[in-house]
Amino acid sequence: MAGVWLLLVLFLLGSAEAGKLLVIPSDGSHWLGMKPIVEELGRRGNQVVVVIPEASLSMGPSQNTTTLTYPVDYTKAELEADLADQLKTVLSIDISTDLAKFQVFIISLDLLQSFIVRNAEGLLFNKDLMNELQDYSFDAILTDPFEPIGAIAGEYLSIPAIYMQINLPCGVDALASQCPVPASYVPQPLTHFTDRMNFWQRSVNLVRTLLQPMACRHLFTRADEIASRVLQRKASIVEIMSRAALWFMRFDFAFEFPRPLMPNMVMIGGMATKKPKPLSQVSSHNYICMQLHVHLH
């Protein structure tokens, strides 16, 4: 409830009572889906500070916001080549059997383990930048937990965290929020099952569900070490995310199967990465005629 109220304040209050929002996005389509919301919050008078790496696939300055950058030890070309190699590795695996699908699941965890913390040194151990962020006294952080450095930064700054996420292979959102995930009708990622499974598929899905905590510990091995160093205490990403004020679940209602949600989870569907073109005007008469034509044929 506190997270919902916080977001309503950011969207609805005028510039005289505007809030301060820190944004640490993830690269690629993650940022393209978040960017319209960030720019709209800035347009409504909120002070929005976006923190991004100097080299990225798609991130750059956005409208109505302040952009801060930090150095990284790779170039855009190197990042593109690395992603292409990883994608080639995953796509080269035959997924015609359940065992092969499980193999892809394990390989995905291994590939993501290093990739999701590639920017940690540049941001979290940049004392000047972290002190500058501390001086802003932000009201909240909006971040995509696909790259957990935003979650770690929010914990370090002691500000409420709003997560906007697409599924990670280990289902960290369910683990962190303790949201029920019934194995009988909620298919695990990369199983390619539906919500109507036979006995064998349910058995496989149950095993995958039971393995999720172990999968998250493996995926976030390096991230947990970094979080412990930054916070100077034993910490884990699942534990940090368990204190989320609000989860924006970027699931497309047309493609996702029914699943339980916690009170601080909001399904927002797939966010458009491009500004949609205006719809052509259709009169009510023409609309009724079209509907009749569909029903008649």
Side-chain angles (χ1 to χ4, degrees):
M1 182 61 68
V4 175
W5 173 249
L6 177 63
L7 197 72
L8 286 173
V9 168
L10 290 172
F11 264 112
L12 300 179
L13 290 183
S15 58
E17 301 177 79
K20 295 180 180 180
L21 181 68
L22 171 62
V23 178
I24 301 181
S26 295
D27 207 351
S29 61
H30 299 263
W31 167 237
L32 296 177
M34 182 185 288
K35 186 178 179 180
I37 293 178
V38 171
E39 292 183 335
E40 179 63 18
L41 286 168
R43 189 189 69 80
R44 297 191 181 201
N46 299 287
Q47 185 177 7
V48 180
V49 178
V50 183
V51 181
I52 58 175
E54 291 179 350
S56 68
L57 297 174
S58 59
M59 293 186 288
S62 48
Q63 298 177 6
N64 310 311
T65 67
T66 300
T67 301
L68 301 179
T69 61
Y70 55 89
V72 289
D73 58 0
Y74 58 82
T75 64
K76 180 178 180 179
E78 290 172 340
L79 179 60
E80 290 174 339
D82 185 38
L83 285 174
D85 289 341
Q86 293 183 9
L87 185 61
K88 184 179 179 181
T89 299
V90 173
L91 294 179
S92 65
I93 301 173
D94 177 22
I95 57 171
S96 58
T97 66
D98 291 327
L99 182 60
K101 293 171 187 173
F102 183 72
Q103 183 183 5
V104 171
F105 172 67
I106 297 299
I107 292 175
S108 299
L109 294 177
D110 290 337
L111 293 176
L112 287 172
Q113 189 184 76
S114 298
F115 182 79
I116 60 177
V117 293
R118 68 191 186 282
N119 296 328
E121 295 287 339
L123 173 58
L124 299 174
F125 298 103
N126 187 327
K127 291 185 178 180
D128 291 338
L129 180 55
M130 293 301 288
N131 288 336
E132 183 178 355
L133 297 180
Q134 191 92 56
D135 292 340
Y136 271 99
S137 298
F138 291 107
D139 297 307
I141 179 173
L142 174 64
T143 187
D144 187 327
F146 177 79
E147 296 181 32
I149 59 171
I152 299 171
E155 184 77 3
Y156 176 82
L157 298 171
S158 300
I159 52 178
I162 302 171
Y163 296 135
M164 181 180 291
Q165 81 146 39
I166 306 173
N167 258 336
L168 276 169
C170 76
V172 65
D173 56 309
L175 288 175
S177 64
Q178 298 185 6
C179 182
V181 185
S184 59
Y185 68 88
V186 180
Q188 288 294 328
L190 303 179
T191 59
H192 302 273
F193 295 156
T194 70
D195 57 340
R196 297 186 177 184
M197 295 173 269
N198 58 35
F199 178 75
W200 168 253
Q201 291 172 333
R202 287 187 179 187
S203 300
V204 172
N205 199 55
L206 175 61
V207 172
R208 281 286 307 278
T209 302
L210 295 174
L211 287 175
Q212 290 299 71
M214 187 185 304
C216 267
R217 284 196 297 271
H218 179 69
L219 175 62
F220 294 123
T221 297
R222 293 188 60 187
D224 289 348
E225 293 172 356
I226 292 169
S228 298
R229 289 169 57 194
V230 172
L231 302 174
Q232 298 184 348
R233 63 174 175 83
K234 186 172 177 58
S236 73
I237 298 303
V238 173
E239 169 247 321
I240 291 172
M241 291 185 184
S242 69
R243 289 186 283 278
L246 188 64
W247 292 84
F248 282 146
M249 314 303 287
R250 284 184 56 194
F251 297 156
D252 193 312
F253 303 104
F255 297 104
E256 292 296 323
F257 297 108
R259 52 164 291 184
L261 295 175
M262 298 301 278
N264 63 339
M265 289 181 172
V266 181
M267 300 279 278
I268 61 173
M271 300 298 295
T273 57
K274 292 183 179 180
K275 188 175 181 180
K277 296 180 181 179
L279 295 173
S280 57
Q281 292 187 1
V282 179
S283 68
S284 58
H285 172 75
N286 289 338
Y287 177 78
I288 293 171
C289 288
M290 286 190 294
Q291 293 299 311
L292 287 172
H293 177 79
V294 170
H295 286 289
L296 290 173
H297 294 82

